Amino acid sequence: MAETTSTAPTTTDLVRGTLEGRRVNPVNTLVSGLLLIALLSSLLVLAVLLADVFGKGWGLLTERGADFLTTPLSPNAVDAGIFQGVMGSIALTAIVIVVAFPLGVAAAVYLEEYAPTNRLTQFITTNIRNLAGVPSIVYGLLGFSVFVNLFSGATGGRTVITGGLTLALLVLPIMIITTSEALRAVPTALREASMGVGATRWETIRHHVLPVALPAILTGSVLTVARAFGETAPLLLSGAVLSLYFAVPPEAGFVSLMTEQSYTALPMIIYNWARQPQEEFVALTSAAIIVLLAMLLIVNAAAIVARDHFERKST
Amino acid sequence: MIARLLRLVASLAALAMVLAACGGDTTTSENGDAEGDAGGGTIIISGSSTVEPISALVAQAFDDANGTASTVEGPGTGDGFARFCAGETDISDASRPIADDEAAICAEAGIEYVELKVAFDGMAVLTSPANETVSCLAFTDLYALLGPESEGFQTWSDANDLASELGAPNTPYPDAPLTITAPGEESGTYDSFVEIVIEGLAEERVGEDSIFTRADYSAEANDNVIINNLAGNDTSLGWVGYAFYVENSDAVKAIEVDNGESGCVAPTEETIADGSYPLSRPLFIYAKTTDMSDATGAFVDYYLSDEGLVFVTEAGYVPLPDDQIAATRAAWEEATAG
């Protein structure tokens, strides 16, 4: 290399500097360090939370075992279980799946596959996105005024149907959005090929688009349902009982349980127990939180299994 | 593919239905020794979260013996009366007597009821155990520190001038930060505190529109948070229900309250029951007498029996003295006789 007399660094010098000099770029190191700290701090919060909950609740859970799940609520902390909460949450989730899943998928299929692209559909899409961001307490108010008051004849007022429908409304926009995204990810070539050999639009959707999109739709849906599972605010307003003790008549049948009897859900029990002053309720609250986390994990695991299952089918 | 998916959804729904249907069975209690002639039926109880633990214990024992199905909630006295006067509940728990406007709504809806006093609840004025300078306060002191005119006071001593103007007996206060944590306005405990401590002086000095505490304090709905805040601050001030104080008496210190006659009184079961501790209130249940079901009638009978009133103590409240129990039972008999 030719030596230059100029004091200003030439391009050659700069390149050499970069190649031969310190390999460590300070800015790079700083940024990656900061990002790592961000990651670790959020993990740390999670770890602290889990350690706290497990520290307080694990003892009670191992001691009581499955009894804790099958014992009903009681104002006596010693006998209290979460039976009504587990049942209520499962029933609510089932209603959400039955109502929101078909409606959400159907709406998304229409929006993505059938609806013409014009101002109106754009307007509707934007609104659905906005609805997905509406705080859940607002859906609670909606549930209260519509399902508890207006349609109390059909829902029975403060019943599990009311709660389930309110939660279904809450997750519907998210269900539509995730399904739309899954449908949009299906290559257009697939649709063209199918129609090219003479399939109708519905045949194309049914045999080619939906099977390919299904794993993504399922994953999105289950995550959405999991959100409904943990909601408390809308249930507070749509009639779930916030209670240390309640019972349903032993002879009550399915219809009565759905449309006449009091109900509650796991997050409601956690919220109610957390405000009790007695020491024993601290352990109960933590144990109930562990159960809630476990149920959420099971739901998410089921989503993964279902996704893998349908992914294998479609290929 | 779609059919399989539909089957999956349908089987999930069926599973939930089966599980929900099982729900009835396991909450069943043996239909054993009957307490009354209720013979099944449902009883809906709502209202004060302070009374809720008593009613919940009574309801559980009653359901176990009779095969009834009760629901006990505690959204607050005001919410409870709103539902009670809308005909949605059979019994309303209350930590204060029904207000005139609430009674008017009940009357308009044609709902008649009987007020039954079942227990006492004391409120405890609390500070941190580390606060050694303050051990007794009179209502005038509390008004100077917590009333509507105290807004903006950052330290205890800021209230000195107002307190001496009121003739409060425990001045001067320490020159230390005044950090207040107490129940929020939605709470029955807040209402009772204002009625007992603040109302008289506030009406006289500021006018009828200013019957509330200062607004610049941290209002908490969760009593555990209140206790934590009071314990964690050396010169804190606040109040909670007596039951919450008893549960946490090692973490916080109760300030004695001057009743104006015999001097400073500490909150104990005895001083609350005999009325010498001034910061206490009676607790009520309101039973709907219009179209009362057999189950509700038998439930109240049980509530007011010796066996039922045991749960007052169990829930951490102060039982009524004998003459007041007799008065409550007489009121119930009179209401059901007609």
Side-chain angles (χ1 to χ4, degrees), chain B residues 49-334:
Chain B
S49 58
T50 312
V51 189
E52 184 192 359
I54 310 176
S55 292
L57 287 164
V58 175
Q60 189 182 32
F62 184 76
D63 281 357
D64 279 353
N66 294 291
T68 47
S70 312
T71 296
V72 185
E73 285 188 278
T77 303
D79 282 355
F81 278 131
R83 290 191 62 191
F84 185 65
C85 294
E88 291 177 21
T89 58
D90 301 306
I91 290 170
S92 209
D93 292 336
S95 57
R96 57 167 171 77
I98 191 167
D100 288 343
D101 52 341
E102 291 163 340
I105 297 170
C106 261
E108 205 169 297
I111 287 170
E112 288 174 19
Y113 53 83
V114 54
E115 174 188 291
L116 303 163
K117 191 199 278 188
V118 292
F120 280 111
D121 176 30
M123 270 170 283
V125 179
L126 301 176
T127 186
S128 152
N131 184 353
E132 283 163 10
T133 36
V134 184
S135 62
C136 178
L137 293 171
F139 281 7
T140 40
D141 293 305
L142 289 170
Y143 179 84
L145 293 162
L146 297 167
E149 291 178 74
S150 68
E151 204 142 307
F153 291 173
Q154 300 289 328
T155 66
W156 288 68
S157 52
D158 283 349
N160 278 340
D161 291 343
L162 177 59
S164 18
E165 192 187 324
L166 291 162
N170 296 293
T171 50
Y173 308 122
D175 184 13
L178 176 60
T179 50
I180 301 166
T181 312
E185 281 180 40
E186 76 291 345
S187 147
T189 315
Y190 175 92
D191 288 345
S192 289
F193 184 84
V194 168
E195 274 163 41
I196 298 174
V197 179
I198 307 288
E199 188 166 354
L201 279 163
E203 212 169 69
E204 193 178 300
R205 293 175 54 88
V206 210
E208 277 188 31
D209 300 331
S210 301
I211 303 172
F212 32 74
T213 64
R214 58 193 294 177
D216 55 343
Y217 72 98
S218 65
E220 288 292 343
N222 186 325
D223 291 87
N224 289 327
V225 178
I226 300 178
I227 296 282
N228 280 341
N229 285 4
L230 292 172
N233 214 306
D234 283 357
T235 51
S236 56
L237 181 66
W239 72 92
V240 295
Y242 179 72
F244 288 100
Y245 157 64
V246 171
E247 296 283 342
N248 297 283
S249 54
D250 50 342
V252 286
K253 177 179 107 170
I255 299 174
E256 294 183 357
V257 180
D258 192 328
N259 65 10
E261 289 163 17
S262 52
C264 296
V265 184
T268 64
E269 288 202 11
E270 292 76 31
T271 57
I272 289 169
D274 70 16
S276 64
Y277 180 69
L279 205 53
S280 75
R281 55 178 172 169
L283 301 178
F284 305 94
I285 58 169
Y286 282 73
K288 185 172 77 171
T289 51
T290 311
D291 300 329
M292 186 169 60
S293 67
D294 289 346
T296 306
F299 177 80
V300 178
D301 283 343
Y302 178 65
Y303 208 129
L304 301 181
S305 70
D306 289 341
E307 215 177 312
L309 288 174
V310 164
F311 294 115
V312 168
T313 323
E314 205 167 299
Y317 296 109
V318 187
L320 299 178
D322 287 345
D323 55 329
Q324 297 194 27
I325 294 179
T328 296
R329 286 175 183 162
W332 171 239
E333 267 167 41
E334 194 186 328

Side-chain angles (χ1 to χ4, degrees), chain A residues 88-307:
Chain A
S89 284
I90 291 175
L92 287 172
T93 310
I95 296 172
V96 169
I97 294 173
V98 169
V99 176
F101 183 74
L103 264 182
V105 172
V109 167
Y110 178 78
L111 270 179
E112 289 302 317
E113 305 292 330
Y114 287 95
T117 316
N118 58 24
R119 288 250 169 114
L120 182 67
T121 44
Q122 273 170 3
F123 176 75
I124 290 172
T125 314
T126 314
N127 267 297
I128 291 172
R129 287 188 180 276
N130 286 336
L131 278 177
V134 169
S136 58
I137 189 80
V138 177
Y139 283 95
L141 284 167
L142 180 77
F144 177 75
S145 57
V146 175
F147 298 124
V148 175
N149 289 334
L150 201 61
F151 293 130
S152 62
T155 61
R158 295 161 193 269
T159 61
V160 73
I161 284 285
T162 299
L165 290 177
T166 307
L167 289 182
L169 279 188
L170 169 74
V171 301
L172 195 54
I174 312 170
M175 199 75 96
I176 296 175
I177 291 172
T178 50
T179 310
S180 296
E181 269 155 20
L183 291 174
R184 235 173 283 151
V186 176
T188 320
L190 197 70
R191 296 184 182 85
E192 286 165 353
S194 169
M195 287 182 173
V197 295
T200 64
R201 187 170 285 224
W202 171 240
E203 282 164 348
T204 304
I205 292 167
R206 196 189 146 161
H207 296 293
H208 300 282
V209 178
L210 276 183
V212 173
L214 198 57
I217 294 177
L218 274 185
T219 320
S221 304
V222 172
L223 292 178
T224 313
V225 167
R227 179 184 166 190
F229 193 83
E231 277 291 348
T232 319
L235 293 180
L236 270 174
L237 286 168
S238 59
V241 166
L242 191 61
S243 173
L244 286 175
Y245 171 78
F246 78 96
V248 293
E251 69 277 7
F254 176 70
V255 174
S256 167
L257 283 172
M258 286 290 135
T259 61
E260 284 174 7
Q261 305 302 332
S262 306
Y263 78 102
T264 194
L266 209 40
M268 298 284 289
I269 293 179
I270 292 170
Y271 172 62
N272 197 34
W273 279 351
R275 22 173 234 165
Q276 302 305 320
Q278 294 92 338
E279 193 67 38
E280 298 85 9
F281 279 104
V282 175
L284 281 174
T285 309
S286 298
I289 293 173
I290 296 173
V291 173
L292 183 72
L293 288 176
M295 289 178 81
L296 279 175
L297 276 181
I298 292 170
V299 170
N300 286 343
I304 294 168
V305 171
R307 187 191 60 197

